[in-house]
Amino acid sequence: MNAPFDAALLDDLIHAADADGIAKHVVGAVIPNAEGKVLLLHRAAADYLGGLWELPSGGVDAGETLTEALHREVAEETGLTVTAIETYLGHFDYRSRSGKKTRQFNFTAHVTHESDTVKLTEHNAHLWADHTEQQQVSSAVRSVLAAWREEAV
């Protein structure tokens, strides 16, 4: 589902997740640069899901909206500042490290300057990935990236 979003859509997403028995909410950001590459982060081998390339993402704190969480998580994981959240790209579900049923809500996000230095805090590498390099992610994230490419056309 590619859709511009508003507060009502965000509320509907949370209510649907709750109705589906989702215990944890996570947000993910597709951050493109001017060349059409996307920022991917690499999990250290010793981390949960170690070795995985993923989108900047993280948990939504209690009392926080999805968009507030996206701004915070991108800043925490990359040091970049989100200037705009453009499109809702859909979600996928998975089990967290603690076994909680988790839903990741994904959005297109733009940052102040994608040329700014990425400052990693939780990952051991980053990559501005072209279409071929984007295939290193999970099938769920590949679907999100396909939705982003479709929306960008």
Side-chain angles (χ1 to χ4, degrees), residues 69-106:
L70 194 71
H71 282 269
R72 179 184 51 74
E73 283 293 340
V74 168
E76 285 178 5
E77 291 192 351
T78 70
L80 301 174
T81 301
V82 171
T83 57
I85 301 172
E86 192 172 272
T87 308
Y88 172 65
L89 298 169
H91 68 267
F92 57 85
D93 297 344
Y94 64 96
R95 293 275 175 193
S96 70
R97 175 189 330 231
S98 64
K100 290 182 181 176
K101 192 171 178 187
T102 302
R103 180 163 293 169
Q104 181 169 314
F105 303 96
N106 300 283

Side-chain angles (χ1 to χ4, degrees), residues 53-145:
W53 284 95
E54 63 184 0
L55 300 172
S57 58
V60 179
D61 291 340
E64 193 173 43
T65 68
L66 295 176
T67 55
E68 289 168 343
L70 194 71
H71 282 269
R72 179 184 51 74
E73 283 293 340
V74 168
E76 285 178 5
E77 291 192 351
T78 70
L80 301 174
T81 301
V82 171
T83 57
I85 301 172
E86 192 172 272
T87 308
Y88 172 65
L89 298 169
H91 68 267
F92 57 85
D93 297 344
Y94 64 96
R95 293 275 175 193
S96 70
R97 175 189 330 231
S98 64
K100 290 182 181 176
K101 192 171 178 187
T102 302
R103 180 163 293 169
Q104 181 169 314
F105 303 96
N106 300 283
F107 300 87
T108 304
H110 297 279
V111 296
T112 46
H113 302 289
E114 69 270 359
S115 62
D116 287 351
T117 302
V118 174
K119 298 172 186 79
L120 300 175
T121 58
E122 300 174 19
H123 297 81
N124 66 352
H126 76 280
L127 169 68
W128 288 99
D130 63 23
H131 182 69
T132 301
E133 294 165 324
Q134 291 169 21
Q135 300 309 305
Q136 301 175 79
V137 298
S138 69
S139 60
V141 173
R142 280 196 299 276
S143 294
V144 171
L145 290 171

